Amino acid sequence: MTDSHGHDGHDGHDVQAAVRKYLFVFGALLVGTLLTVGMYYVHIPSVVITIIVALFIASIKASLVACYFMHLIDERKMIYSLLLATAFFFASMMVLLIWAMFDPPSLTLLPAYQGK
Amino acid sequence: MEIPYNVKSRPDTGLYNAKLGIWLFLASEVMLFGGLFTSYVVLRVNASAENWPHGLLNIPIGTFNTFVLIASSVTVVLGWAALKMNNFARYRKFQAITILCALGFLSIKSIEYSDKFTHYEIWFKDGHRQTGHIHQDGKKAWFWNTKTLAGAPAVKDAKGNVVKPASPPIAEFEFSPDATHYSDAAKHTKGEPAAAEHKESAHASGEHAAVKVKTADIKRLSAFVPAHSTYFAIYFTLTALHGLHVLIGAVVIAYIWGPGAKLWKTNPEQYVNRIEVSGLFWHFVDLVWIFLFPILYLL
């Protein structure tokens, strides 16, 4: 593999294009933050919708940071596979722990062993 | 000894080693924060609404701090881009802003913390609850709890010298209650979070005149410290861990910016890589805050 990878060999012009992208992302992050806070003051009646919208905006902001500031949009395969594994274990941890919450001993024990 | 592949990409990974290293580290950080975020979900789902004191944090301050952190992330990439164009002076300027933003973020966070440490909730024996501030000798009381009211004997060391003088029991104290209690909002379904949110910032308008409270009428007294509730336990755990990351990131960036800048003259490529690697860490810290802010302040 030769070292012709995108941002390892930027010339001045590429960097200037990148700077414009960074400033655009900066603007998008500010707008996202204002939207999230604005939503709080508007009082959406449903708590579930509030949570979904807030996390949706947060995820978009996080993806912007990861893709552009952390250059994940144009990265080596090695890092993608590393992050795929991380995502898998992260999701497993979350799902297992939340699953455990809905699976207390009272649901799985025989009636004779419950309580007391 | 020369460390291999700290500038050139390693043929099998296609990366210089430090970059793979930082991504492995960030993967472990995802698991660390992921575990705590999951704990948050479990605590949140199982808490009864009146015992989940949300709405006590100051949203305008939190929003401002979010802007500060986002701005610092942008200056990191702009500084890195400036170095790529061989403009060292410009990089220095941008990265100085990053460091100032980091310090600003931590200062604002510590003001928020001290607001919590001097803000109280009282559970009265008759069942009602109030939040507000306690004043002693005209000053705000810090970190009081039920035990503070009971007083404590003097603490002496082995030789009998007094290490900590005795504190007398407090029979009555001055309390300035807030206009509303956070559980009010929970009672009216989703209620008026706007009213609840005023509490912290509205010392002038939202606080009733000071009253005398008798210790005998109190079941429990707590400042908004981790022991107050599961909400504040997870709030302080998450924000303090995040704050520690901000602090460490700032120290690393400041080192590379200051004493570590000699490397720019001897090995500029490696220096730029250091900026990139420390920047990746910094963006991760920003990314964590992007989730922390809405879940702790808004939801």
Side-chain angles (χ1 to χ4, degrees), chain B residues 122-193:
Chain B
I122 301 176
W123 288 258
F124 288 93
K125 282 183 179 158
D126 65 8
H128 86 285
R129 290 151 65 182
Q130 271 186 325
T131 56
H133 293 85
I134 296 176
H135 295 277
Q136 193 189 32
D137 308 327
K139 276 185 275 183
K140 274 184 185 173
W142 287 68
F143 296 115
W144 278 23
N145 57 31
T146 321
K147 276 186 192 159
T148 318
L149 300 175
V155 179
K156 291 177 182 173
D157 64 10
K159 289 174 193 155
N161 301 319
V162 176
V163 185
K164 203 178 153 202
S167 53
I170 299 163
E172 199 181 54
F173 56 88
E174 205 176 298
F175 183 65
S176 316
D178 297 327
T180 51
H181 186 268
Y182 57 82
S183 63
D184 296 345
K187 279 175 202 150
H188 313 115
T189 59
K190 214 219 162 185
E192 300 102 70

Side-chain angles (χ1 to χ4, degrees), chain B residues 5-20:
Chain B
Y5 303 115
N6 58 9
V7 173
K8 283 263 169 294
S9 300
R10 225 183 107 119
D12 50 358
T13 61
L15 301 156
Y16 58 93
N17 280 351
K19 190 152 169 184
L20 183 58

Side-chain angles (χ1 to χ4, degrees), chain A residues 7 15 22 26 30 33 36-37 40 43 58 62 69-71 75-76 78-79 82 86 89-90 93-94 97 101, chain B residues 14-15 19 23-24 27 31 34-35 38 46 59 63 67 70 74 80-81 84 193 276 280 283 290-291 298:
Chain A
H7 58 78
V15 175
Y22 296 150
F26 180 42
L30 294 187
T33 307
T36 318
V37 177
Y40 176 81
H43 309 320
F69 290 174
M70 299 172 94
H71 304 129
E75 196 44 273
R76 292 290 187 193
M78 185 76 191
I79 288 177
L82 171 67
T86 312
F89 285 111
F90 171 76
M93 176 171 62
M94 216 168 206
L97 284 170
M101 194 165 76
Chain B
L15 301 156
K19 190 152 169 184
W23 274 110
L24 278 169
M31 297 308 282
T38 313
N46 288 291
I59 292 173
T63 310
F67 287 147
I70 291 175
V74 178
W80 174 79
K84 280 271 178 191
E276 189 181 11
L280 282 170
H283 300 313
I290 285 175
F291 285 102
L298 306 175

Side-chain angles (χ1 to χ4, degrees), chain B residues 216-239:
Chain B
D217 297 336
I218 291 178
K219 197 160 70 181
R220 184 185 173 207
L221 166 73
S222 175
F224 291 116
V225 292
H228 173 274
S229 52
T230 50
Y231 170 79
F232 277 107
I234 195 75
Y235 164 77
F236 281 109
T237 308
L238 277 168
T239 53

Side-chain angles (χ1 to χ4, degrees), chain B residues 13-294:
Chain B
T13 61
L15 301 156
Y16 58 93
N17 280 351
K19 190 152 169 184
L20 183 58
I22 192 74
W23 274 110
L24 278 169
F25 175 67
L26 292 182
S28 78
E29 292 272 87
V30 168
M31 297 308 282
L32 171 65
F33 279 101
L36 288 166
F37 273 114
T38 313
S39 312
Y40 168 87
V41 173
V42 172
L43 292 172
R44 177 81 174 93
V45 171
N46 288 291
S48 58
E50 72 274 13
N51 286 322
W52 192 260
H54 113 294
L56 287 171
L57 299 177
N58 190 321
I59 292 173
I61 287 189
T63 310
F64 179 72
N65 236 1
T66 308
F67 287 147
V68 170
L69 212 54
I70 291 175
S72 75
S73 236
V74 178
T75 53
V76 166
V77 279
L78 292 179
W80 174 79
L83 263 196
K84 280 271 178 191
M85 290 190 283
N86 267 323
N87 193 336
F88 186 77
R90 200 174 147 86
Y91 145 77
R92 269 253 165 110
K93 263 183 231 153
F94 277 126
Q95 214 61 329
I97 300 174
T98 307
I99 298 162
L100 288 178
C101 283
L103 295 178
F105 180 89
L106 289 174
S107 314
I108 292 169
K109 202 76 211 133
S110 53
I111 293 170
E112 283 190 86
Y113 271 20
S114 64
D115 263 356
K116 290 288 146 286
F117 299 154
T118 54
H119 195 189
Y120 292 87
E121 171 155 16
I122 301 176
W123 288 258
F124 288 93
K125 282 183 179 158
D126 65 8
H128 86 285
R129 290 151 65 182
Q130 271 186 325
T131 56
H133 293 85
I134 296 176
H135 295 277
Q136 193 189 32
D137 308 327
K139 276 185 275 183
K140 274 184 185 173
W142 287 68
F143 296 115
W144 278 23
N145 57 31
T146 321
K147 276 186 192 159
T148 318
L149 300 175
V155 179
K156 291 177 182 173
D157 64 10
K159 289 174 193 155
N161 301 319
V162 176
V163 185
K164 203 178 153 202
S167 53
I170 299 163
E172 199 181 54
F173 56 88
E174 205 176 298
F175 183 65
S176 316
D178 297 327
T180 51
H181 186 268
Y182 57 82
S183 63
D184 296 345
K187 279 175 202 150
H188 313 115
T189 59
K190 214 219 162 185
E192 300 102 70
E197 163 269 322
H198 280 309
K199 271 178 268 172
E200 189 55 39
S201 54
H203 292 253
S205 58
E207 202 170 69
H208 292 163
V211 291
K212 292 276 183 197
V213 171
K214 287 196 175 64
T215 301
D217 297 336
I218 291 178
K219 197 160 70 181
R220 184 185 173 207
L221 166 73
S222 175
F224 291 116
V225 292
H228 173 274
S229 52
T230 50
Y231 170 79
F232 277 107
I234 195 75
Y235 164 77
F236 281 109
T237 308
L238 277 168
T239 53
L241 184 67
H242 177 263
L244 192 66
H245 280 77
V246 173
L247 183 66
I248 294 172
V251 168
V252 170
I253 288 172
Y255 171 79
I256 297 171
W257 182 86
K262 287 188 289 256
L263 189 66
W264 173 247
K265 297 215 173 69
T266 53
N267 193 345
E269 277 182 272
Q270 193 186 353
Y271 188 69
V272 176
N273 286 350
R274 283 191 180 174
I275 306 297
E276 189 181 11
V277 166
S278 57
L280 282 170
F281 177 76
W282 193 255
H283 300 313
F284 176 79
V285 172
D286 183 26
L287 206 143
V288 168
W289 184 256
I290 285 175
F291 285 102
L292 275 186
F293 173 65

